[in-house]
């Protein structure tokens, strides 16, 4: 493990060059299978936890607790404790919901689509992204559930035979949501877990203390690394990837239907599905960068998560930022072109009305600031890209705020207009949701393999067939097991 | 160096674990399902009444018409529980000093009402109207079953929305001639016969039971 | 009374924790004997609702189906003949609001009056009522009503009994034979019996002194008429005969005598029929209902109005002399404002004159006697006396709404000669000028008693307080302005053993006669030849019909009526009054919600928005746009008003159309002893609003000129239901652009243009509408509604009626500020025209029961779905509260229960309030959506009724609550499937349009475009400004 630590202590190597004669390495340092395992497995195997981890976990966990307590208060008192009013019947909770669902997009995209497109650079970040996806979707799932007025009847959203002879209304986008998000959640979890099995087995075999050994053992489902296992594993992984790919598009399209299907000016737009999906990927990648930059720093993963990885993600961010910007433009254009006075007013009102500040925050964070990624320096300097990514996260939250609040607060009849003022509890619950997210995430970093060791190994030069001896070194555990 | 972290039988038992994992939830679900079924929950409620009044005796053997006591059933939403006065119409002579009737006599004397216990109870957001049904060929028996055979009245039907809807969707099987409304024993010869009568009555009285929500919920 | 004599630190009403506790009071025995068995007769619907209300938390309703909630059915022992449990019964009665009578029909369920409707056969209402009558039931069940006879001995309030009081009284009565040192103070009343009792008592006690006191008095009117006719009189307007109406700050549909009827009569002339169509001019300082339904409105400061009247009188004199008016409005050096005034004056004068005999001039109560005298002369000159305008002599002192009496009373009290004083249904301590220090004077009197619904300010300075019986609890009678004898029947025995004024006075005469005897005596005395059957009919109909009764209307002016008018009156008016520094004139007005303060504890009225300011829960200084600019004020900034006698700090509401340098404030707020709603200082419940009576002095009652006004450096949020926040430029622009389509207006000229037929539908052009889903088809009824914007006067009675009918919760000011008010029907108020001189329009908006309802398509649990009769059903017990439906509702008429708004009912002291609920309507829990249902409970019950009787429904048999109450009959409900039905006819009208129909939601409620009847000359000026300036707050 000394070697690994020395490797990680070396200065950053820029592998973002594109030299036609040779493939740029996806893993730096003198890594072989053993050191890769070493670098990654070292983290969960570390006996004690670092002070930094303890502190951040304390903070995150207490925020999460606050969220739980507030939820209890909410159930007892009623959602009047939020700022929602008439006409703005949806406020922060739905904004947060859409925000988190968006975040939860990069995961599947990276793991599934990039996998299908044989983008090998994904291997060192996909685990990470998938985990983030799962946690984000967890946060997202909470809000729609608790935002209903009579949460104790929320199960009525599910179609099940009952003595009332009642079924849900399948015309309602909210119902589509239930299915879309539900499916997405399931598949993401499966995908994440399935991919993790070989690594869990590795941890199991390396484990020295009984408890980890037992747990890793249970969850690695008796993985023995036999050729048959590998065969099945890769099949299943491929199937899931194929299955998940359409979900990337479907989930956020469906979420966007919540708005697009309604007739409120500023919601009633056909551009919403692609616009939302682009935005989701945008925010998803931003969040990966936000988490990845510090993580690779603290956990010494610079060799596996190289600048090239970050560079690629930043390119994604830049591209999707353009799509989002285009959507903003086209929305305004269509409002004018449609000649619908209510639609047009909504956009004038967004840009110049009482919520103009939110609108322009959104535009600046989502369109202006990402332009910095034109400069290679910004794409390859961790602290810069980190700051930019933070801005994108903020911007994307405001995008949802603008869509929901500005449209509702001034719709058709001026007689019913009213502004929306969030309460303190609104803010606390927003923060609390971050608490939940980071709690889960810190646990992940501490106890699970952050990088898909098995997959990374496949992109090592040793993994190429002509490296004969490499084959023997490969997965010693498996050989022993066979004995 | 490597020693198995789990006993070997654990590996062998794996299929069983798998099976359990699969079927246990299904089993529990099934149990819950039947436990929560209206048939299980609703039917059979038969509280003790302050006065041991027997419908079997009055409506059955003596053959009193339901409307003799439940006077408002044709006029109002609610089929009024008889006032003490009505009991006393007969019982000031018949069984005039039966101990069972002590409470009735007391009530009559003091003017303190008799606290009957409700058997057939609908949720508070359900607006059921007796007159609307009784006047349109729906007999008491459809919901209250053979009260004339009950010593102590019990709930015989689920009275759940799904159950209401069955009849509202196709009433033919539940309609009878107006003069047979309170004749709980009445039956059409056969289901076909009933169907025929039902359709005829439905046409005659232009009965279109509504399944709109506001019919019962407001 | 168990707790007799036991001292209580400070007077607090005794609240029953359990029925048993109350059960050992005689009142309760009486009550339970008479009413309560039905009250808790847990049979049928009422039983369900009762249970529901009794439930500790409403969520129990959710479990009502669980296994098994043991509930009891408590039948009658002896059921009264004809009483069917759960079936509503209807009885005629009437409400007398300080002499103003409204004939009513009370709906009682199981012995509890739960809803009041206008009595259709009663001339005062013809079926409509105002908001006060609608809210009366809430007052009846107000837990804050005083419940015990209480007495103050050495500074402590002690619960006593009625017997104790009568004993004490007998003692005092025995002490005198002539009534020496006795003083009686009452409110104005039209009750013949009370008046008779007073006469009898006066005969017995010649030396006793009587005072009638009404803070909202019409002294100036009567003084003015004395000057004009030689006798005090009260003007009444029969607007259905009027062609041209000039309202000089006269609130025809709120303050004037017979206001409910007036609304009906006026509306009848507004349906766009050129023969009937009237033209209404309003010249006013504040915004009255007349002003907002006027064709032309000229805002003038209080001082200028009399100048206008002088000018008008001159003009009419000229016209009467056969000359035509000089061309006063066209000299180039005139300011546009002056020119407008000139043209306005000319138009009014010529119009009035042209239609003399069919023209009405009415003046507001606060205007000075000279104005009223002038108005009388003008009406005479216009040959309208006895026609559209009737002046009825005020014969009986008790029918006069007077405040002059207060002055005399004060002097009498100061003189110290008063030994005994009795206050009946009046609260002078609250409303009298502070300088009088009435409370101290009263406290000095050896024997003082107060009879009232509440232990109010006056009660607390007396030695005795007797709970008064609500008019729904007691026998009484009333007399409308046209002399119709109206009987007031009790609907329920006094909840707290209250006594009526009649019962109190009868103590002095014949204690063993009860109120009913007295009333019947009056009836017999009044109609000697009447039979018992007549009395029966009188009770059944609520009034006694007299054949060919003549109105003795005054028609001849007294010779004192001559008055010199300065020849240059016209020029002076046109020039306008000169600006006078930063001092303003303040006008105090009656309040639309609390009247003179007596309704301060009525939560329905408190939360009921003012028709023009849209303000709830309190009063504010209403100022015009210019004044606001001058003071640099916005909505909610606080200003200080200083007069010699007092200073007041008030929040500001900026309303266009209030003249410059003028502040309008309503009276009746700042009650210190109203109750838990309106303010109760002794329990640290701050008063709602500011007590503006504080400004009053002996000298001036309504108008205060030269008031110093300063802006304070603080703000106070206002509980307004519209323009929740000051509208910014973008908002204004957007509003102006769409207004013409939402609220469609048409001039009479355009409407009746033979060459180009008008169609309101065509105002908005849209592509052919195609539906995404297959549309509904109907074989039965298709309910629909039509709202005539031309008839709607914006009085808002429908809002309270809906609240009473549908158990709509009150949410309180904090929630209103959060824009969470629950009213199912709201009346949007829009301004058009310049900020200085705008026009208003009122638009009632309730659920439009869309055919292709957007709400139905998005509800995930199908809690809102279409009924087979086209209703947009809202199923509370299915709703889980995603609020998606409300988001998707283009009219934003859905209301959400953000909290459990009936929480206060869990408090034992509020038990009694549960009796107000309508058992036919579910009370909504926390977390569910609710909305207008077209009063589906009424529809269903009427249908069942008809089916049981084997007959078809008759058009008009079903009336929604808002339709039934509407004094102007602006709302019509019915079956669209029946082409002959009234509503189907209206939907065919060329004025009919569906609001936002271009969204293809296919609303079932159609609006009828508002018809305006502008004077050509004025139209040319008014209707010309650029749209952008059409708004206030800019």
């Amino acid at each position: 493990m000394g070697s690994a630590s020395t490797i990680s202590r070396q200065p950053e190597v820029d592998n973002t060059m594109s030299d036609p004669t040779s493939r740029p390495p996806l893993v730096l340092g003198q890594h072989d299978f053993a050191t890769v395992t070493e670098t990654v497995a070292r983290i969960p195997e570390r006996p004690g936890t670092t002070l930094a981890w303890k502190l951040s976990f304390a903070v995150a966990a207490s925020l999460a607790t606050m969220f739980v307590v507030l939820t209890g208060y909410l159930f007892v008192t009623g959602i009047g404790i939020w700022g929602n009013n008439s006409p703005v019947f949806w406020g922060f909770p739905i904004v947060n919901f859409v925000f988190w669902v968006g975040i939860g997009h990069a995961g599947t995209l990276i793991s599934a689509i990039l996998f299908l497109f044989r983008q090998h650079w994904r291997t060192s970040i996909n685990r990470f992204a998938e985990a983030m996806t799962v946690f984000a979707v967890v946060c997202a799932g909470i809000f729609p559930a608790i935002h209903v007025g009579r949460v104790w009847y929320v199960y009525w959203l599910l179609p099940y035979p009952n003595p009332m002879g009642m079924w849900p209304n399948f015309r309602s986008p909210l119902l589509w949501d239930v299915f879309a998000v539900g499916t997405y959640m399931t598949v993401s979890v499966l995908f994440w877990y399935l991919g993790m099995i070989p690594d869990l087995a590795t941890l199991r075999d390396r484990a020295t203390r009984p408890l980890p050994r037992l747990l890793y053992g249970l969850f690695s489902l008796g993985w023995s690394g036999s050729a048959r296992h590998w065969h099945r594993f890769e099949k299943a992984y491929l199937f899931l990837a194929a299955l998940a790919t359409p979900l990337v598009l479907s989930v956020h399209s469906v979420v966007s239907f919540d708005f697009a299907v309604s007739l409120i000016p500023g919601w009633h737009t056909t551009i919403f599905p692609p616009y939302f999906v682009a935005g989701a990927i945008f925010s998803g990648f931003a969040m990966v960068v936000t988490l990845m930059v510090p993580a690779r720093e603290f956990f010494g993963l610079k060799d596996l998560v190289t600048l090239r990885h970050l560079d690629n993600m930043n390119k994604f961010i830049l591209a999707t930022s353009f799509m989002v910007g285009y959507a903003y433009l086209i929305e305004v254009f269509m409002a004018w072109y449609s000649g619908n006075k209510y639609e047009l007013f909504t956009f004038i009102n967004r840009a110049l009305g009482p919520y103009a500040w939110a609108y322009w925050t959104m535009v600046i964070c989502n369109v202006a600031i990402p332009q910095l990624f034109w400069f290679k320096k910004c794409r390859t300097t961790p602290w810069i890209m980190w700051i930019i990514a933070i801005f994108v996260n903020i911007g994307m939250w405001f995008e949802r705020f603008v869509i929901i609040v500005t449209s509702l607060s001034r719709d058709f009849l001026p007689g019913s207009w009213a502004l929306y003022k969030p309460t303190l509890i609104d803010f606390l619950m927003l923060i609390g949701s971050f608490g939940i997210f980071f709690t889960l995430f810190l646990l992940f970093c501490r106890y699970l393999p952050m990088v898909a060791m098995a997959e990374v190994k496949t992109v090592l030069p040793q993994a190429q067939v002509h490296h004969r001896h490499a084959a023997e070194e490969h997965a010693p555990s498996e050989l022993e097991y066979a004995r | 160096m490597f020693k198995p972290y789990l006993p070997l039988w654990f590996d062998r038992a794996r299929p069983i674990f798998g099976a359990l994992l699969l079927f246990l939830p299904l089993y529990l679900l099934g149990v819950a399902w039947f436990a929560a079924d209206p048939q299980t929950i609703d039917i059979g409620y038969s509280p003790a009444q302050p006065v041991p009044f027997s419908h079997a005796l009055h409506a059955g053997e003596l053959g009193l018409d339901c409307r003799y006591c439940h006077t408002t059933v044709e006029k109002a939403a609610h089929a009024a529980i008889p006032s003490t006065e009505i009991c006393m119409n007969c019982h000031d002579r018949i069984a005039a000093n039966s101990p069972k009737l002590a409470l009735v006599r007391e009530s009559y004397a003091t003017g303190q009402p008799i606290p009957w216990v409700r058997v057939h109870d609908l949720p508070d957001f359900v607006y059921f109207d007796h007159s609307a049904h009784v006047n349109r060929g729906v007999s008491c028996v459809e919901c209250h079953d053979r009260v004339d055979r009950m010593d102590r009245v019990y709930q015989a039907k689920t009275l759940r929305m799904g159950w209401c809807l069955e009849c509202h969707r196709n009433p033919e099987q539940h309609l009878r001639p107006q003069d047979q409304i309170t004749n709980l024993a009445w039956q059409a010869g056969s289901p076909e016969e009933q169907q025929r009568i039902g359709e005829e009555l439905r046409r005659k009285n232009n009965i279109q039971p509504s399944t709109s929500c506001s019919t019962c919920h407001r | 009374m168990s707790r007799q004599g036991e001292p209580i630190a400070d007077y607090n009403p005794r609240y029953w924790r359990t029925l048993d506790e109350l059960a050992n009071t005689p009142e309760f025995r009486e009550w339970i004997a008479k009413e309560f068995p039905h009250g808790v007769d847990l049979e049928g619907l009422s039983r369900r609702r009762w249970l529901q209300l009794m439930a500790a938390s409403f969520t129990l309703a959710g479990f009502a189906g669980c296994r098994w909630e043991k509930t009891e059915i408590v039948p009658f022992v002896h059921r009264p003949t004809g009483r069917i449990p759960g079936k509503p019964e209807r009885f005629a009665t009437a409400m007398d609001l300080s002499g103003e009578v409204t004939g009513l029909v009370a709906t009682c369920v199981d012995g509890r009056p739960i809803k009041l409707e206008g009595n259709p056969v009663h001339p005062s209402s013809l079926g409509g009522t105002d908001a006060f009558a609608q809210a009366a039931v809430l007052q009846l069940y107000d837990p804050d009503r005083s419940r015990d006879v209480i007495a103050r001995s050495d500074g402590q309030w002690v619960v006593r009994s009625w017997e104790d009081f009568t004993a004490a009284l007998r003692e005092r009565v025995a002490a005198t034979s002539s009534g020496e040192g006795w003083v009686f103070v009452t409110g104005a009343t039209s009750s013949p019996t009370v008046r008779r009792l007073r006469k009898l008592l006066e005969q017995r006690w010649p030396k006793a002194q009587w005072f009638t006191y009404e803070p909202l008095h019409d002294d100036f009117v009567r003084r003015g008429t004395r000057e004009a006719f030689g006798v005090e009189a009260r003007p009444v307007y029969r607007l259905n005969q009027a062609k041209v109406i000039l309202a000089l700050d006269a609130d025809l549909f709120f303050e004037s005598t017979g206001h409910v009827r007036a609304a009906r009569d006026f509306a009848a002339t507004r349906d766009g029929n050129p023969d009937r169509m009237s033209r209404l001019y309003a010249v006013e300082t504040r915004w009255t209902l007349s002003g907002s339904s006027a064709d032309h409105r000229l805002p003038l400061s209080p001082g200028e109005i009399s100048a206008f009247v002088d000018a008008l009188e001159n003009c009419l004199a000229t016209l009467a002399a056969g000359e035509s008016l000089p061309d006063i409005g066209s000299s180039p050096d005139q300011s546009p404002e002056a020119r407008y005034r000139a043209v306005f004056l000319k138009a009014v004068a010529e119009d009035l004159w042209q239609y003399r005999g069919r023209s009405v001039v009415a003046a507001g109560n606060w205007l000075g006697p000279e104005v009223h005298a002038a108005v009388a002369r003008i009406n005479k000159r216009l040959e309208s006396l006895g026609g559209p305008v009737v002046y009825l002599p005020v014969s009986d002192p008790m029918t006069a709404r007077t405040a002059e009496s207060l002055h005399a009373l004060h002097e009498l009290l100061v003189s110290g000669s008063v030994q005994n004083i009795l206050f009946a249904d009046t609260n002078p301590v609250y409303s009298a000028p502070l300088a009088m220090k009435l409370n101290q004077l009263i406290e000095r009197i050896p024997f003082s008693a107060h009879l009232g619904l509440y232990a109010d300010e006056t009660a607390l300075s007396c030695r005795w307080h007797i709970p008064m019986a609500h008019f729904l609890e007691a026998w009484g009678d009333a007399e409308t302005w046209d002399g119709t004898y109206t009987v007031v029947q009790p609907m329920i025995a006094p909840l707290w053993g209250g006594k009526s004024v009649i019962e109190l006075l009868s103590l002095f005469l014949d204690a063993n006669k009860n109120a009913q005897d007295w009333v019947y005596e009056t009836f017999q005395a009044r109609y000697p030849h009447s039979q018992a059957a007549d009395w029966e009919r009188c009770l059944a109909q609520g009034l006694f019909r007299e054949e060919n009764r003549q109105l003795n209307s005054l028609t001849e002016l007294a010779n004192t009526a001559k008055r010199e008018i300065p020849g240059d009156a016209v020029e002076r008016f046109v020039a306008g009054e000169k600006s006078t520094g930063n001092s303003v004139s303040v006008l105090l007005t009656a309040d639309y919600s609390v009247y003179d303060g007596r309704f301060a504890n009525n939560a329905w009225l408190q939360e009921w928005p003012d028709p023009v300011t849209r303000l709830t829960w309190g009063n504010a200084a209403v100022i015009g746009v210019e004044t606001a600019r001058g003071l640099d004020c916005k909505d909610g900034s606080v200003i200080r008003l200083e007069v010699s006698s007092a200073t007041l700090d008030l929040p500001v509401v900026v309303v266009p159309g209030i003249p410059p340098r003028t502040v309008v404030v309503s009276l009746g707020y700042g009650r210190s002893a109203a109750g838990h709603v309106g303010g109760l200082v002794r329990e640290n419940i701050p008063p709602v609003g500011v007590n503006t009576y504080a400004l009053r002095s002996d000298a001036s009652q309504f108008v205060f000129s030269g008031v110093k006004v300063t802006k304070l450096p603080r703000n106070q949020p206002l509980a307004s239901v519209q323009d929740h926040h000051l509208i910014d430029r973008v908002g204004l622009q957007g509003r102006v652009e769409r207004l013409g389509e939402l609220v469609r207006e048409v001039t009479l000229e355009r409407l009746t243009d033979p060459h180009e037929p008008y169609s309101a539908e065509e105002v908005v052009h849209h592509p052919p509408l195609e539906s995404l889903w297959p549309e509904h088809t109907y074989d039965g009824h298709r309910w629909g509604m039509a709202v005539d914007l031309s008839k709607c006067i914006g009085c808002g009675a429908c809002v309270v009626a809906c609240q009473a009918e549908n158990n709509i919760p009150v949410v309180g000011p904090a929630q209103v500020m959060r824009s969470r008010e629950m009213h199912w029907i709201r009346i949007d108020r829009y301004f058009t025209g310049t900020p200085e001189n705008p026009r208003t329009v009122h638009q009632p908006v309730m659920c439009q029961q869309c055919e292709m309802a957007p709400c139905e398509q998005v509800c995930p649990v199908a809690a809102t779905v279409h009924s087979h009769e086209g209703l947009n059903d809202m199923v509370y017990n299915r709703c889980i509260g995603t609020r998606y439906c409300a988001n998707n509702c283009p009219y934003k008429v859905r209301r959400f229960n953000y909290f459990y708004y009936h929480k206060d009912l869990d408090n034992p002291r509020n038990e009694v309030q549960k009796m107000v609920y309508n058992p036919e309507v579910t009370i909504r829990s926390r977390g569910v959506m609710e909305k207008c249902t077209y009063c589906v409970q009424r529809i269903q019950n009427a249908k069942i009724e008809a089916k049981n009787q084997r007959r078809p429904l008759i058009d008009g048999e079903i009336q929604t609550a808002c339709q039934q109450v509407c004094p102007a009959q602006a709302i019509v409900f019915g079956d669209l499937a029946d082409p002959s039905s009234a509503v189907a006819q209206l939907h065919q009208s060329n004025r009919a349009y569906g609001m936002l129909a271009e969204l293809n939601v296919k609303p079932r409620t159609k609006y009828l475009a508002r018809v305006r009847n502008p004077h050509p000359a004025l139209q040319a000026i008014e209707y010309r400004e650029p749209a952008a300036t059409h708004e206030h707050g800019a």
Side-chain angles (χ1 to χ4, degrees), chain A residues 125 157 159 178 194 196 199 260 264 312 351 382 398 466:
Chain A
I125 54 167
L157 285 167
V178 174
L194 185 72
M196 212 153 37
D199 292 356
I264 298 302
N312 288 351
F398 270 101
H466 48 78

Side-chain angles (χ1 to χ4, degrees), chain A residues 75-76 79-80 82 84-86 89-90 147 149-150 169 172 258 262-264 341 410-412 415 423, chain C residues 728 738 741 818-820 830 856 858-860 876-877 879-884 887-888 892 898-899 926:
Chain A
F75 290 173
V76 179
I79 61 170
W82 290 332
N84 305 37
N85 61 14
S86 164
F89 289 90
W90 284 353
H147 104 292
R150 299 203 293 173
N169 171 15
S172 166
D258 287 344
S262 85
L263 50 58
I264 298 302
K341 67 158 72 66
R410 288 183 171 179
D411 62 347
F412 292 97
T423 62
Chain C
D728 55 309
R738 58 188 71 177
E741 299 184 358
R818 270 219 171 278
S819 158
R820 291 173 180 172
Y830 299 112
E856 291 172 6
V858 297
C859 175
Y876 312 122
N877 44 301
C879 177
I880 65 172
T882 65
R883 310 191 292 298
Y884 197 175
N887 280 345
N888 208 22
K892 288 289 174 285
Y898 279 100
F899 290 111
R926 181 243 290 184

Side-chain angles (χ1 to χ4, degrees), chain C residues 10-25:
Chain C
D10 187 355
Y11 171 63
N12 280 319
R14 187 170 48 90
Y15 308 125
W16 25 290
R17 273 142 220 77
T18 66
L19 287 177
D20 319 34
E21 179 187 339
L22 191 70
N24 45 31
T25 68

Side-chain angles (χ1 to χ4, degrees), chain A residues 318-396:
Chain A
L318 183 56
T320 42
S321 142
F322 268 107
M323 301 185 198
V324 173
Y326 172 77
Y328 296 163
L329 279 180
I330 213 69
E331 265 192 321
V332 178
F333 169 77
M334 287 312 293
W336 166 78
Y337 185 68
S338 69
N340 177 328
K341 67 158 72 66
Y342 299 107
E343 191 74 12
L344 183 56
F345 169 78
T346 303
F347 285 93
I348 296 171
N349 184 45
R350 278 183 186 173
L352 307 172
Y355 291 108
W357 56 274
Y359 182 78
W360 292 112
T361 317
M362 165 187 99
V363 173
I364 291 164
C365 294
N366 292 352
V367 185
I369 294 181
Q371 299 309 317
L372 289 170
F373 280 142
W374 282 114
F375 305 103
K376 183 157 188 180
K377 177 125 181 50
C378 302
R379 288 207 306 279
T380 52
T381 324
W383 67 268
I384 297 184
M385 68 176 80
W386 189 77
I387 290 170
I388 295 178
I390 291 288
F391 273 113
V392 173
N393 289 323
I394 296 172
M396 283 312 290

Side-chain angles (χ1 to χ4, degrees), chain B residues 3-40:
Chain B
K3 62 175 164 44
Y5 46 89
L6 281 174
L8 276 178
W9 63 262
F10 189 91
D11 272 1
R12 299 212 191 77
R14 205 177 271 131
I16 303 171
F17 293 140
L20 279 184
L21 221 58
L22 194 63
F23 292 111
L24 198 63
L26 287 180
Y27 173 74
L28 293 176
L29 199 69
V31 172
W33 185 264
F34 286 109
D37 184 75
Q39 294 286 343
T40 329

Side-chain angles (χ1 to χ4, degrees), chain C residues 1011-1026:
Chain C
V1011 186
R1012 290 198 186 263
N1013 185 12
H1015 186 287
L1018 289 167
Q1019 181 180 10
I1021 305 176
E1022 280 174 14
Y1023 291 59
R1024 222 197 295 112
E1025 316 81 9

Side-chain angles (χ1 to χ4, degrees), chain A residues 177-227:
Chain A
D177 258 4
V178 174
F179 297 127
V181 176
T183 322
Y184 188 64
M185 181 72 186
T186 325
V187 172
S188 315
V189 172
L190 276 179
F191 211 89
W192 180 55
Y193 176 56
L194 185 72
M196 212 153 37
I197 289 176
D199 292 356
L200 287 173
T202 314
L203 289 176
R204 170 197 67 197
D205 302 341
R206 295 167 48 102
T208 49
R209 282 164 305 138
L211 185 63
R213 166 182 273 242
L214 178 67
L215 292 176
Y216 289 130
L218 278 177
F219 288 102
S220 55
L221 301 180
W223 173 269
S224 69
S226 68

